[in-house]
């Protein structure tokens, strides 16, 4: 039998974020939801009516309740039950967030109960033999921090650094893998570039300032953690897009090249000396025209209307490895697929592409699917279903999707090979 290309301890896991699943979070995002739910519901036809699944999602998407995270999927209280699901699915790693607004609800005041919660949470994962992958920032922030200007103010980076130092003191003995920032590019682009997301502060100047301050935030977080735990593996997880020219037109090529540089490399180039691994989040492929706009094939689409080309992760894995020579963890990859029609296909294509890359020497340490559970999909709310496990929010009942059962057997084959 062929020798396995999987190194010992390869991370087979799933990713989540605190605000999207915990329930009962109070942060800048939850406040924004309350102020904007009605508007989002009213705009739903404009945003989604072109989707083939519109008749199916219409009543939910036009209901303001869809846009409120509220009690989430009660993961804060049901985490033990959710970890059992991980075990059942043969997963050995779990990416989760520590909610900053819970542990530091007021500036400089630490909530000991919340910290103790995360200590027990991580200890439970460890006891179950699941590698905890701790994520420090996934867009949600304490209201007091945002009232002071959030990451638009350079001096505020110190607050984030202090939070990270505190978490490293309190939780550092229990974790090896830490992610400082999730998708700083997406947050900056939508919060300040297009102004569609909180804080809806559309400004080119602010976009540049925030992006620069997030570079500083990463560097200082990396240092703060490594000072106490030099052996820890501290990375960041930007969103990666595979941008390609639609044709041979030199302008289309230029557009794709620029999109790749700005989206995929600009941030990482600046932090590459303060990085132990690259976290790679992948969903999108874009074909650029000479007009500098994407024009993608009409199918296949996921439920959100995103064009799907899972194999396009391949070139990104190769280029990331060549550029940084750092281990890569696929920290997110997935799709909104309520009927579970494409998930098995998406994962099959992704695993084959990942295995090809590994065979060619790309150092990949793990695959973490987005997401373990159906969750709150930011400005789209509750209707998009990204979970390996479906959640009924009325009863909070979890139901494993067929693709997840299949994925579990695929993992088992690979582990025992
Ligand atoms: C984010 C997740 C989000 C997922 C699907 C990623 O960009 O990190 O929070 O749920 O995409 O949209």
């Amino acid at each position: 039998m062929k020798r396995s290309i999987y190194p010992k301890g390869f991370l087979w896991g799933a990713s989540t974020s605190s605000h999207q699943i915990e329930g009962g979070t109070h942060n800048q995002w939850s406040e924004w939801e309350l102020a904007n739910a009605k508007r989002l519901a009213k705009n739903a036809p404009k945003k989604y009516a072109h989707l083939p699944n519109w008749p199916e999602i219409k009543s939910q998407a036009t209901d303001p309740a869809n846009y409120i995270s509220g009690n989430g999927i009660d993961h804060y209280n049901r985490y033990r039950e959710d970890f059992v699901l991980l075990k059942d699915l043969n997963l050995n790693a779990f990416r989760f967030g520590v909610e900053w607004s819970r542990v530091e609800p007021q500036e400089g005041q630490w909530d000991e109960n919340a910290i103790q919660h995360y200590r027990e949470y991580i200890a439970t994962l460890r006891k179950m033999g699941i590698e905890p992958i701790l994520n420090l920032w996934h867009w949600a922030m304490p209201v007091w921090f945002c009232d002071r200007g959030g990451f638009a103010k350079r001096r505020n980076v110190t607050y984030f650094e202090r939070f990270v130092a505190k978490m490293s003191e309190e939780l550092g003995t229990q974790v090896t893998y830490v992610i400082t920032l999730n998708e700083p590019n997406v947050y900056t682009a939508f919060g300040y570039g297009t102004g569609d997301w909180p804080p809806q502060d559309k400004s080119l100047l602010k976009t540049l300032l925030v992006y620069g301050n997030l570079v500083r935030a990463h560097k200082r977080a990396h240092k703060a953690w490594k000072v106490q735990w030099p052996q820890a593996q501290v990375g960041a997880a930007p969103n990666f897009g595979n941008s390609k020219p639609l044709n041979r037109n030199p302008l289309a090529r230029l557009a794709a090249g620029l999109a790749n540089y700005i989206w995929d490399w600009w941030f990482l180039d600046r932090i590459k000396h303060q990085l132990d691994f690259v976290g790679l989040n992948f969903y999108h492929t874009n074909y650029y025209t000479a007009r500098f706009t994407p024009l993608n094939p009409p199918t296949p689409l996921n439920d959100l209307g995103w064009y799907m080309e899972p194999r396009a992760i391949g070139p990104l894995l190769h280029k990331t490895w060549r550029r940084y020579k750092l281990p890569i963890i696929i920290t997110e990859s997935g799709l909104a697929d309520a009927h579970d029609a494409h998930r098995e296909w998406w994962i099959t294509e992704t695993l084959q592409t990942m295995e090809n890359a590994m065979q060619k020497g790309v150092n990949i340490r793990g695959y973490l699917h987005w997401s373990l559970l159906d969750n709150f999909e930011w400005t789209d709310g509750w209707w998009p279903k990204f979970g390996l496990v479906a959640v009924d929010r009325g009863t909070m009942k979890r139901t494993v999707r067929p693709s997840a059962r299949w994925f579990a057997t695929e993992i088992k084959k690979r582990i025992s090979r």
Side-chain angles (χ1 to χ4, degrees):
M1 192 189 259
K2 254 191 14 210
R3 231 184 97 235
S4 170
I5 51 161
Y6 286 96
K8 207 169 155 259
F10 188 85
L11 303 166
W12 288 107
S15 276
T16 59
S17 90
S18 51
H19 183 66
Q20 293 178 268
I21 56 172
E22 281 187 352
T25 49
H26 179 215
N27 51 40
Q28 105 285 16
W29 205 292
S30 66
E31 291 210 337
W32 186 86
E33 290 159 19
L34 295 176
N36 288 274
K38 279 204 187 115
R39 178 180 61 84
L40 294 171
K42 202 161 156 246
N43 288 348
K46 219 162 95 199
K47 190 167 176 196
Y48 307 116
H50 67 283
L51 296 175
N53 54 348
W54 174 242
E56 203 178 307
I57 65 168
K58 186 175 169 189
S59 68
Q60 209 181 348
T62 52
D63 179 357
N66 175 63
Y67 302 94
I68 307 277
S69 58
N71 58 349
I73 51 164
D74 198 28
H75 174 74
Y76 200 74
N77 299 310
R78 293 170 197 249
Y79 69 85
R80 289 185 181 81
E81 179 191 331
D82 292 338
F83 296 168
V84 172
L85 291 168
L86 285 168
K87 282 305 265 187
D88 284 351
L89 293 176
N90 296 331
L91 299 172
N92 63 14
F94 186 57
R95 176 179 171 217
F96 63 94
V98 166
E99 177 64 31
W100 184 5
S101 63
R102 278 192 199 276
V103 301
E104 193 181 3
Q106 299 300 329
E107 198 253 290
Q109 290 176 22
W110 304 105
D111 183 326
E112 186 44 43
N113 290 334
I115 297 173
Q116 183 55 23
H117 167 88
Y118 288 113
R119 264 191 224 110
E120 283 168 22
Y121 185 99
I122 301 171
T124 308
L125 284 171
R126 281 253 174 258
K127 244 182 265 152
M128 295 172 79
I130 300 164
E131 183 71 37
I133 301 177
L134 187 156
N135 196 96
L136 291 160
W137 181 84
H138 198 126
W139 310 340
M141 291 166 275
V143 173
W144 61 262
F145 176 77
C146 293
D147 284 348
R148 285 168 169 74
F151 281 112
K153 293 258 164 58
R154 185 172 175 161
R155 63 168 180 271
N156 290 348
V157 173
T158 308
Y159 293 120
F160 179 64
E161 184 185 6
R162 184 175 63 181
F163 157 66
V164 173
K166 177 75 174 168
M167 291 305 96
S168 83
E169 239 170 75
E170 301 287 354
L171 309 173
T173 43
Q174 297 175 279
V175 292
T176 302
Y177 292 96
V178 177
I179 295 169
T180 55
L181 304 178
N182 178 72
E183 301 190 352
N185 46 354
V186 171
Y187 171 77
T188 311
F190 290 108
Y192 297 89
T194 67
D196 291 327
W197 288 12
Q200 289 192 291
D201 199 355
K202 184 175 173 177
S203 138
L204 180 61
L205 178 67
K206 291 254 176 83
T207 305
L208 300 174
L209 279 174
V210 170
Y211 214 17
N213 287 335
L214 288 170
V215 167
R216 282 183 197 101
H218 168 84
K219 288 184 179 173
R220 284 163 60 177
H222 184 268
K223 191 163 169 206
W225 204 281
K226 298 283 280 197
V227 165
Q228 295 203 54
W229 310 102
Q231 306 302 331
Q233 296 293 296
V234 182
N239 181 287
F240 283 70
N242 191 336
S243 300
K244 312 190 223 191
L246 182 66
N247 48 44
R248 295 160 70 102
N249 184 311
L251 283 175
R253 287 191 203 191
L254 178 68
L258 273 176
N260 280 325
Y261 175 71
I262 295 168
W263 198 251
D264 300 334
W265 315 125
W266 187 90
F267 192 86
L268 286 172
D269 279 359
R270 272 148 194 83
I271 62 166
K272 63 185 176 197
H273 299 302
Q274 290 88 12
L275 201 61
D276 304 312
F277 68 90
V278 177
L280 193 149
N281 289 2
F282 175 76
Y283 300 88
H284 294 284
T285 308
N286 280 315
Y287 286 84
Y288 274 87
T289 66
R291 291 163 175 248
F292 284 67
T293 46
L295 182 65
N296 290 336
T299 54
L301 301 181
N302 78 14
D303 292 351
L304 279 160
W306 301 356
Y307 167 63
M308 296 187 287
E309 194 180 309
R311 283 187 180 268
I313 197 174
L316 292 171
L317 291 167
H318 284 277
K319 287 187 205 166
T320 304
W321 172 242
R322 252 186 274 137
R323 202 169 176 109
Y324 305 112
K325 284 284 183 280
L326 287 169
I328 298 168
I329 300 175
I330 298 172
T331 35
E332 288 184 26
S333 159
L335 60 161
D337 184 16
H339 296 293
D340 210 27
H342 304 291
R343 205 170 270 105
E344 182 176 322
W345 164 76
W346 174 281
I347 297 175
T348 304
E349 298 275 302
T350 306
L351 296 190
Q352 283 174 3
T353 311
M354 178 177 92
E355 286 165 2
N356 280 338
M358 289 165 85
Q359 249 143 14
K360 297 201 172 98
V362 179
N363 181 355
I364 303 173
R365 297 247 187 102
Y367 173 85
L368 313 179
H369 191 79
W370 185 272
S371 180
L372 177 66
L373 302 144
D374 287 343
N375 58 28
F376 181 70
E377 184 51 30
W378 307 109
T379 49
D380 297 302
W382 287 104
W383 70 260
K385 307 293 185 200
F386 275 89
L388 290 169
V389 177
V391 181
D392 175 334
R393 288 191 70 231
T395 58
M396 292 297 176
K397 188 170 179 298
R398 276 75 166 142
T399 309
V400 174
R401 291 204 160 95
S403 62
R405 293 246 169 266
W406 163 86
F407 183 33
T409 60
E410 290 299 306
I411 295 171
K412 194 151 188 202
K413 277 191 222 158
R414 285 160 171 83
I415 291 178
S416 55
R417 218 183 260 160

